[in-house]
Amino acid sequence: MKLSILSLLAAAVGSSTALSIPLHDLEAHLQPRQACENTPTSRRCWGDFNIDTDYYTVTPDTGETVEVWLSVQEVPCAPDGYSRTCMTFNGTVPGPTIHANWGDNLVIHVTNNLPSNGTAIHWHGVRQLGSVEYDGVPGVTQCAIAPGDTLTYQFRVTQYGSTWYHSHFSLQYAEGLFGGMVLNGPATADYDEDLGSLFLQDWSHVPAFTRWNVAKAGAPPPLDNGLINGTNTFDCSTVPDDTNCVGGGKKFEAVFEAGKKYRLRLVNVAIDGVFHFSIDGHTLTVIANDLVPIVPYTTDGIQITIGQRYDVIVEANAAPGDYWLRGGWVSACNGLPTSDGITGIIRYDNSSTADPTSTSTVVVGTSCDDEPAASLVPHLALDVTNMPVITTEDLAWKIENSYFKWTINTSSLVLDWGNPTLLQIFNGEDVFPTPYNVVEVAPSGTGPEWAVLVIQDLSTFGISHPIHLHGHDFWVLAQERDTFNGTTTAFNTINPPRRDVAVLPGNGYLAIAFLLDNPGAWLVHCHIAWHASQGLSLEFVESQSSITVDQADKDAFNDTCNAWNEWKQNEVFPQDDSGI
Ligand SMILES: *[C@@H]1O[C@H](CO)[C@@H](O)[C@H](O)[C@H]1NC(C)=O
Ligand SMILES: *[C@@H]1O[C@H](CO)[C@@H](O)[C@H](O)[C@H]1NC(C)=O
Ligand SMILES: *[C@@H]1O[C@H](CO)[C@@H](O)[C@H](O)[C@H]1NC(C)=O
Ligand SMILES: *[C@@H]1O[C@H](CO)[C@@H](O)[C@H](O)[C@H]1NC(C)=O
Ligand SMILES: *[C@@H]1O[C@H](CO)[C@@H](O)[C@H](O)[C@H]1NC(C)=O
Ligand SMILES: *[C@@H]1O[C@H](CO)[C@@H](O)[C@H](O)[C@H]1NC(C)=O
Ligand SMILES: *[C@@H]1O[C@H](CO)[C@@H](O)[C@H](O)[C@H]1NC(C)=O
Ligand SMILES: [Cu+2]
């Protein structure tokens, strides 16, 4: 850029009509470099930063604080025309979208207005660089927030892209406790309009907490429907005499203007389901996986497992008309009989009310895997260069008191909401309770160092698990339907996919690496909500002696614990799962 301006000016100086520009003025003109504005035709730009900036080490100083108030409350709801009670942020499912810019400070006041549950809110995929106390995991990074109490989460937005926030308290997000986070920044391809988050969700007509009584004995129970951005229809004639089926559900609809390019932020917020998203007659250009911009690729449909996000650009270049948008339920991976009805509508004419007659050419298969690794190439190319320590863990199961539990090296996670790992760390303890499944990691030298986790599935069920790590993006080194033989030679270390949820293939192994740059206590868990409740989780305590928390944040932490311990004396429902 600088070179081309210089050569242009040089050409001008050489021409007969050129103005003579003194050299120091020229320098002033070029320094500081003119900010490159983010517009529909320059999405790679972001002021003094851009899509090439290493966002792991550089964060714009916006000086802005975005302050948000969220009320966690129960309300009557009927997202698909079937009445029940939902747990919500501010009364809606999905909850209010949180918008912020890359580099902003977020201050989020969460008040627990539930009658009889604690809560804790996790900002999925947010690195929480230097702010582990606001990661929102009850029993790990905080005590549960008692009914009536408020906790103010405060952290810096060091990444950009699409994510979501959700309760991490037991099965609460299954009842509706989630919302979108749109973190504005540059992108790897251009688009005209940002349509925001698009949530793909499975949905139960009775509370998940009620189904848990069945689920905890073993297999996940079938659910009743799927929702697209919190809405769908349901055929009440399939449940005659059920007075809760009041009808009136609606399909999600969006309107396209021919010729425009739209950005959609796909988020799988299911508790059990894998989706294969597509829009009839349209191609998707994929520009990000989780909070990592990728080299754009095009596809007819995209497979999304729980917790994952894909940002896609859709060009309105089909013949004007109405088209089905399909969630694409992968029945082979989920306990829901049919995917046919999990749809929304894209219209080119906003006065149209007709059902689309479009058909799909996309084949939803039986694979529960991620998109092929070869497609998911991070734009900011980073290799894993030094991985001296490999932690291997065996995934299996046991039956305890007639209940099914997943185990990690024979131990199933169980947390005490009143005794978080971080409290134990504040108290200087370094031996953690066995069911906390703590693995301690720390760099052995001074240079960049990665920790590697290999989870080997020995359960023999053949079920795939979407594995999520807190506090970090991870590099996906291997996803094999095989037994890990202990050698790292076959690991993909050269700019492999980088994200925060990846699939552990059934009867195989998943190997991930994360940079040891964020001291804290970080959960790793399966994002199938039933499995998390059944203990499929461990935690990394990273660089324990370097974990620092300001006094004001420690005081807020202590207040939350005191309120929880007081309320717990009158707790109505005792904990009967892992806690997450
Ligand atoms: C949520 O509701 C509270 C009132 O309970 C209100 O003050 C706040 O602005 C709402 N938050 C959002 C993000 O809409
Ligand atoms: C949370 O609330 C739900 C609904 O009232 C109840 O079924 C469940 O047992 C509660 N769980 C805990 C741990 O409080
Ligand atoms: C989905 O719902 C969220 C929350 O209400 C909203 O911000 C978003 O724009 C909706 N998505 C689309 C594609 O309309
Ligand atoms: C439909 O689109 C037209 C033309 O863009 C616009 O003027 C009108 O407000 C839209 N109507 C609705 C209900 O969105
Ligand atoms: C888990 O068990 C395997 C097999 O016994 C062992 O090799 C591995 O070191 C254990 N992992 C940890 C973190 O102790
Ligand atoms: C270990 O497995 C990898 C990947 O399957 C393979 O390339 C390598 O040859 C194996 N090494 C040994 C010693 O078996
Ligand atoms: C936390 O609160 C308890 C109860 O009020 C108090 O005794 C204790 O000193 C506090 N601890 C810290 C570290 O502030
Ligand atoms: Cu799982």
Side-chain angles (χ1 to χ4, degrees):
M1 185 58 155
K2 193 169 175 178
L3 260 181
S4 66
I5 289 174
L6 274 175
S7 36
L8 258 177
L9 283 168
V13 168
S15 82
S16 58
T17 56
L19 297 167
S20 131
I21 302 172
L23 194 59
H24 65 271
D25 282 359
L26 180 60
E27 288 295 331
H29 185 72
L30 293 172
Q31 298 290 342
R33 189 168 58 85
Q34 210 177 338
C36 174
E37 211 190 316
N38 184 275
T39 70
T41 52
S42 61
R43 294 291 181 196
R44 292 177 157 237
C45 296
W46 196 255
D48 293 332
F49 306 87
N50 61 49
I51 194 68
D52 300 325
T53 307
D54 179 350
Y55 50 85
Y56 292 105
T57 55
V58 176
T59 308
D61 186 5
T62 63
E64 297 288 330
T65 294
V66 174
E67 197 167 9
V68 180
W69 285 262
L70 295 174
S71 162
V72 177
Q73 59 194 70
E74 287 184 2
V75 296
C77 63
D80 59 350
Y82 190 100
S83 297
R84 49 162 290 184
T85 298
C86 288
M87 290 183 177
T88 68
F89 291 102
N90 277 32
T92 63
V93 180
T97 304
I98 296 175
H99 294 269
N101 289 329
W102 181 23
D104 287 353
N105 290 302
L106 269 173
V107 173
I108 307 169
H109 309 273
V110 176
T111 301
N112 182 359
N113 289 313
L114 296 173
S116 55
N117 272 192
T119 197
I121 311 307
H122 173 58
W123 322 92
H124 184 112
V126 172
R127 280 171 73 206
Q128 299 294 358
L129 191 62
S131 51
V132 61
E133 69 275 22
Y134 294 123
D135 192 43
V137 185
V140 177
T141 62
Q142 65 168 94
C143 290
I145 307 170
D149 193 25
T150 298
L151 175 60
T152 299
Y153 292 85
Q154 306 184 56
F155 52 89
R156 186 92 184 273
V157 178
T158 66
Q159 300 140 284
Y160 55 85
S162 308
T163 193
W164 59 308
Y165 61 98
H166 63 83
S167 167
H168 223 302
F169 182 97
S170 198
L171 294 166
Q172 277 178 357
Y173 88 80
E175 316 290 28
L177 271 176
F178 68 89
M181 291 181 88
V182 172
L183 309 176
N184 300 307
T188 52
D190 290 338
Y191 55 90
D192 297 299
E193 279 180 36
D194 186 349
L195 294 181
S197 318
L198 187 74
F199 298 103
L200 307 174
Q201 183 185 1
D202 48 17
W203 187 242
S204 171
H205 285 165
V206 296
F209 279 110
T210 307
R211 290 198 188 260
W212 172 239
N213 294 325
V214 173
K216 66 184 175 182
L223 302 178
D224 303 294
N225 204 353
L227 308 178
I228 306 277
N229 231 34
T231 187
N232 202 353
T233 53
F234 183 79
D235 181 0
C236 285
S237 72
T238 60
V239 287
D241 309 326
D242 188 337
T243 54
N244 290 322
C245 205
V246 293
K250 288 189 175 63
K251 292 285 180 194
F252 165 83
E253 291 192 18
V255 178
F256 280 1
E257 193 181 311
K260 279 197 170 172
K261 288 181 179 167
Y262 295 91
R263 176 177 183 160
L264 283 170
R265 300 160 180 270
L266 308 174
V267 192
N268 182 335
V269 298
I271 59 173
D272 194 21
V274 177
F275 290 93
H276 195 105
F277 177 87
S278 60
I279 302 174
D280 293 357
H282 293 78
T283 301
L284 313 173
T285 300
V286 188
I287 60 166
N289 65 186
D290 301 347
L291 287 171
V292 176
I294 62 172
V295 176
Y297 74 98
T298 56
T299 180
D300 289 344
I302 189 160
Q303 182 129 327
I304 316 178
T305 66
I306 305 177
Q308 292 185 327
R309 289 85 67 211
Y310 284 105
D311 286 48
V312 299
I313 296 170
V314 189
E315 186 172 2
N317 57 4
D322 302 308
Y323 294 91
W324 290 117
L325 169 157
R326 301 177 193 270
W329 187 260
V330 187
S331 338
C333 317
N334 323 280
L336 199 151
T338 171
S339 69
D340 291 353
I342 309 177
T343 51
I345 300 172
I346 298 291
R347 301 190 188 284
Y348 279 62
D349 173 358
N350 66 4
S351 65
S352 166
T353 54
D355 269 359
T357 53
S358 64
T359 54
S360 179
T361 52
V362 173
V363 178
V364 176
T366 55
S367 154
C368 309
D369 292 346
D370 282 330
E371 286 286 289
S375 300
L376 307 177
V377 180
H379 172 81
L380 177 68
L382 295 172
D383 302 341
V384 177
T385 54
N386 180 25
M387 40 177 185
V389 180
I390 295 179
T391 303
T392 60
E393 299 276 4
D394 293 336
L395 173 62
W397 56 279
K398 65 181 178 186
I399 302 286
E400 198 174 77
N401 304 326
S402 326
Y403 293 122
F404 180 96
K405 292 188 166 190
W406 295 98
T407 56
I408 298 285
N409 267 21
T410 73
S411 173
S412 189
L413 185 90
V414 184
L415 301 168
D416 175 348
W417 293 320
N419 187 22
T421 313
L422 206 51
L423 178 62
Q424 299 167 40
I425 291 170
F426 291 161
N427 291 337
E429 292 165 26
D430 55 10
V431 177
F432 301 95
T434 303
Y436 276 52
N437 287 0
V438 168
V439 176
E440 297 185 58
V441 286
S444 54
T446 51
E449 208 171 292
W450 281 256
V452 174
L453 171 66
V454 178
I455 307 181
Q456 177 80 50
D457 176 22
L458 298 181
S459 70
T460 71
F461 294 121
I463 302 169
S464 296
H465 302 271
I467 303 294
H468 174 48
L469 168 68
H470 290 211
H472 294 271
D473 286 334
F474 55 70
W475 282 247
V476 183
L477 303 175
Q479 287 169 295
E480 299 292 335
R481 283 207 158 68
D482 207 346
T483 305
F484 179 56
N485 62 17
T487 59
T488 60
T489 43
F491 281 176
N492 179 11
T493 57
I494 310 300
N495 194 31
R498 206 169 63 234
R499 58 188 321 169
D500 57 57
V501 182
V503 168
L504 159 61
N507 299 329
Y509 67 93
L510 168 72
I512 59 173
F514 59 96
L515 188 60
L516 291 168
D517 62 353
N518 194 13
W522 306 117
L523 199 68
V524 183
H525 65 97
C526 175
H527 224 299
I528 294 176
W530 310 118
H531 294 182
S533 274
Q534 287 163 325
L536 205 174
S537 177
L538 58 93
E539 22 173 329
F540 281 109
V541 168
E542 175 182 349
S543 306
Q544 182 172 344
S545 60
S546 305
I547 297 172
T548 49
V549 176
D550 288 349
Q551 192 55 47
D553 300 309
K554 271 190 180 163
D555 290 346
F557 180 100
N558 202 25
D559 289 348
T560 305
C561 287
N562 289 337
W564 174 255
N565 291 330
E566 183 153 329
W567 181 81
K568 197 177 144 58
Q569 295 162 18
N570 306 311
E571 195 181 28
V572 190
F573 305 105
Q575 179 177 352
D576 70 345
D577 71 352
S578 68
I580 58 161

